[in-house]
Every structure is written in C-alpha cells, then in structure tokens.
Amino acid sequence: MPLNSEQRAATIREFQESMSRLGLTAERIGKDFGISGSRVEQIITLKSGALEYPWIIRAYLLSKAAAQGVELTPLTALRGNPHDYWFLDGDFIDRGEID
C-alpha cells in the first residue's frame, strides 16, 4: 500500500533517527548485508522498489537495538508483523537478504 507524502517523510526521518541512536551508517549496514551504502540509502529513503526491503532493515535495526539496549524511534508506517500484510512476502522478509 502506498504511503502518503507525510508518512514517507516520517518513515525516512524515523529510519535516520534509529540509525543515529545505534551509531550506524548506511555503509555499516551495507557491509552487514553485503551491499553498498548507497543501496541502503535507497532502501531507507523508500526508493528501493521492493516493499520488503525496508522491513528487512527494520528487523535489522530492532535486533541491533535489542542487543545494545537502545530504544528506537518507532517506525509509524512499518509497524506490527509484516506477515499480517497481504501485500508483503513475509518469507522473503524472514530470509533477511537484500540484493
């Protein structure tokens, strides 16, 4: 489901705030996924073309936050369980792979 412009802007800001709280850069995240930092930037600015990729990054950030004991800015447009959304491939998200 497409986000409106306000939801897009909020989600991008929330991704950036969460990365900042964790001390992560797009390059660092990219290394963990075996992709470039610019590819991560595409994903967190919601320009990746795959609806599942932001959810994969979300899961990654939540995992890092839990490990570090850091509370993240909630991603208001990406909330709940992705398996509950008919338009997302939950198995794809669970694999946690990005190309």
Side-chain angles (χ1 to χ4, degrees), residues 17-90:
E17 287 173 5
S18 291
M19 288 169 57
S20 178
R21 287 185 185 186
L22 293 167
L24 293 170
T25 63
E27 287 72 29
R28 177 66 250 162
I29 295 170
K31 283 183 183 177
D32 287 348
F33 283 100
I35 60 175
S36 68
S38 62
R39 183 74 175 120
V40 172
E41 285 290 336
Q42 282 182 320
I43 294 165
I44 65 171
T45 58
L46 309 177
K47 297 176 184 172
S48 69
L51 292 176
E52 289 79 8
Y53 287 164
W55 286 89
I56 292 170
I57 298 291
R58 172 190 178 258
Y60 168 89
L61 293 174
L62 289 172
S63 172
K64 291 286 189 187
Q68 294 180 25
V70 173
E71 189 170 327
L72 295 184
T73 302
L75 291 165
T76 53
L78 303 177
R79 64 179 176 265
N81 184 336
H83 289 274
D84 294 338
Y85 295 95
W86 63 268
F87 54 88
L88 294 173
D89 183 340

